[in-house]
Amino acid sequence: LYGAVYIDLWDDFVKIGEGDGAYTNDKVHLTAQAYRIWCKKIAAEVNATCTYDDKAVNNFCGQSGVHALRASYFAMSPVNDGDILMVGDGTICGMEWHELMHSDKVKSRGTGWGVPGANISTNAGMLEGMLQGKGKPAQIYFYTGTADVTATGADLEAIATSYKAMVEKAHTLCPEAKIYVMSLLPYSNKATCDASIVPFNEKLQTLANELDYATYVDCFTPLAKEGAPKADYFTGVYLYGLGYAKLSETLAPLMKEADSKVTATTEAEAKTLRESLVARNALAAALTTAEKLSIGTGVGQFTAENAKAVTELIEAGYKLLAGTPTNEELNTQTTTLTAAIAALGEKLNMPTASTTSKEVWYQMSSLRSADRVVTSNGVGQGVTTSENQQYAESMWKFVSRTDGSYDIVNRGD
């Protein structure tokens, strides 16, 4: 249907919760050995190859839980000469950096999801798996420490010492790579920034200045306003797409030194993409509403003739979404379709009103299941649904009011 291809992974993973843990260590998330199977199945469909070595086994780098699983991915993932590695916590994990920077040489090694994500110790513990016995990356970017410095009773001096040990470890493993120490971003509020983020960033700058192979990158200032997170870039403690675009503009000039193909996703480009997304989603929502309209001759439906204008606009809307429309074209189509739906509402097939001489009883199916009908629980007790359609309490009549609306009266009550 619609050119879709079904890829069967059932036989490959049906016993995933059994065995020696080669496929999972928590019966939920997959290891690198398991993802290699999945990767190979997909690769055949897209004329690609799986980059996970056929003979490689899981290397959890001494980690546990989900960090062990991510460590297995990074340990099995190749690093080629000239690559640019992004190593760090939830902020790094939150973006497909090769897409953001428009270069396949930029590779993400984000060690956790959510913010603040993994701490310095976790990131440092994965470095052997990431780097040992592989190609020579040109640059390594570190973004980590938020979990450490925002913890209760954090000792910033001790945390800076552990950060330095991590950087030195990376240098030992990849002495040719230039290392970039990214400052922590504005976090939470100005009080948090003043108390922990800003002073820790000062320590990171001092640390980088002391190492001839390390460079400090100020990521705080471009994304802050009056010492706190700039609202355009953050939702709570998470970066919006616009925030990531701003971060890419900050990093791109540095990455170009290693790969001339690196191009930032600019703030202006991100805004344009966001506006397009809003316009497309608005039309998609209107199309969803239109498709839910019930066409037929029954009560609560619309006749095909009356609904013709809307059904034609549905077809036109999907055709528009399949192309490359302007935002103005999308918004115009949404407005037209929304107006047509509103106009159609006046042409709803209405029930036959009961009179004193003739009663007409109806049953109303539940929105959850057409097999269940709306049933009264008694006067003042509200309604539920029931599978039994023989009760008087599940039957309703419509009595006309003078203003053109109806009283809806239950037969049992």
Side-chain angles (χ1 to χ4, degrees):
L1 185 66
Y2 303 119
V5 175
Y6 176 71
I7 298 177
D8 187 2
L9 295 169
W10 178 263
D11 290 338
D12 297 306
F13 294 114
V14 67
K15 295 184 178 181
I16 196 166
E18 305 173 9
D20 60 1
Y23 286 0
T24 181
N25 65 356
D26 62 1
K27 298 185 180 180
V28 178
H29 301 95
L30 300 180
T31 66
Q33 283 186 229
Y35 270 121
R36 181 171 55 202
I37 295 172
W38 195 337
C39 179
K40 285 179 176 293
K41 286 289 185 76
I42 296 172
E45 300 294 337
V46 294
N47 194 30
T49 57
C50 178
T51 60
Y52 282 178
D53 189 294
D54 285 340
K55 297 181 180 179
V57 295
N58 293 319
N59 177 4
F60 298 124
C61 300
Q63 305 298 315
S64 60
V66 293
H67 294 315
L69 295 166
R70 295 193 73 77
S72 74
Y73 316 151
F74 301 149
M76 202 176 288
S77 297
V79 174
N80 301 314
D81 291 351
D83 279 351
I84 300 170
L85 302 184
M86 305 291 293
V87 181
D89 58 28
T91 296
I92 296 299
C93 183
M95 178 52 62
E96 301 298 337
W97 288 92
H98 66 289
E99 293 183 350
L100 190 68
M101 310 306 294
H102 304 96
S103 170
D104 288 340
K105 284 186 173 293
V106 181
K107 297 180 176 179
S108 176
R109 299 295 184 263
T111 55
W113 46 85
V115 172
N119 57 22
I120 295 169
S121 175
T122 300
N123 285 289
M126 297 188 190
L127 288 177
E128 284 95 342
M130 290 182 190
L131 304 174
Q132 205 163 48
K134 299 184 178 182
K136 300 176 181 179
Q139 296 178 341
I140 301 174
Y141 289 77
F142 282 107
Y143 184 95
T144 184
T146 302
D148 305 80
V149 304
T150 58
T152 303
D155 182 342
L156 299 187
E157 193 63 43
I159 296 169
T161 298
S162 66
Y163 196 113
K164 183 177 182 180
M166 174 185 66
V167 173
E168 291 174 333
K169 183 176 183 180
H171 178 65
T172 300
L173 291 166
C174 296
E176 301 87 357
K178 190 167 184 178
I179 295 176
Y180 292 86
V181 175
M182 297 169 62
S183 75
L184 299 185
L185 298 175
Y187 187 82
S188 184
N189 52 50
K190 190 175 188 304
T192 304
C193 292
D194 290 345
S196 56
I197 302 297
V198 171
F200 186 69
N201 284 344
E202 292 172 353
K203 293 183 181 299
L204 290 182
Q205 187 170 15
T206 299
L207 180 160
N209 290 339
E210 292 174 352
L211 303 172
D212 58 8
Y213 51 81
T215 300
Y216 175 77
V217 186
D218 178 12
C219 303
F220 182 96
T221 302
L223 283 86
K225 181 179 181 180
E226 298 176 354
K230 188 175 180 181
D232 287 351
Y233 299 144
F234 292 88
T235 170
V237 297
Y238 292 89
L239 276 178
Y240 278 126
L242 197 61
Y244 273 108
K246 189 65 175 178
L247 192 55
S248 82
E249 288 184 313
T250 303
L251 299 177
L254 301 170
M255 291 187 178
K256 277 184 174 293
E257 296 176 8
D259 179 11
S260 61
K261 294 182 180 179
V262 166
T263 305
T265 298
T266 66
E267 190 172 352
E269 180 185 355
K271 286 180 178 179
T272 300
L273 290 169
R274 183 175 64 181
E275 290 167 359
S276 176
L277 177 65
V278 170
R280 295 181 74 89
N281 279 350
L283 178 54
L287 287 168
T288 299
T289 299
E291 289 190 318
K292 287 182 178 179
L293 298 175
S294 182
I295 309 299
T297 58
V299 175
Q301 294 184 307
F302 302 95
T303 65
E305 181 61 29
N306 286 338
K308 184 177 180 181
V310 171
T311 53
E312 288 177 351
L313 285 170
I314 291 174
E315 183 178 352
Y318 278 114
K319 184 177 180 180
L320 191 64
L321 286 174
T324 55
T326 65
N327 292 345
E328 183 178 1
E329 289 172 328
L330 291 166
N331 292 332
T332 298
Q333 187 73 14
T334 301
T335 300
T336 303
L337 178 56
T338 302
I341 293 170
L344 180 61
E346 299 176 3
K347 301 176 181 178
L348 186 71
N349 297 338
M350 303 302 284
T352 300
S354 291
T355 64
T356 54
S357 60
K358 182 180 180 181
E359 293 180 326
V360 181
W361 296 98
Y362 292 93
Q363 289 180 313
M364 296 182 282
S365 62
S366 164
L367 293 175
R368 295 179 64 184
S369 171
D371 295 331
R372 301 180 69 89
V373 292
V374 178
T375 304
S376 171
N377 289 323
V379 177
Q381 300 302 310
V383 298
T384 52
T385 63
S386 173
E387 292 178 345
N388 192 322
Q389 300 183 14
Q390 306 307 312
Y391 292 144
E393 286 81 5
S394 70
M395 301 178 188
W396 308 81
K397 68 178 179 180
F398 293 78
V399 181
S400 295
R401 290 176 167 179
T402 57
D403 64 358
S405 62
Y406 298 93
D407 285 325
I408 305 176
V409 182
N410 185 263
R411 188 169 191 173
D413 297 322

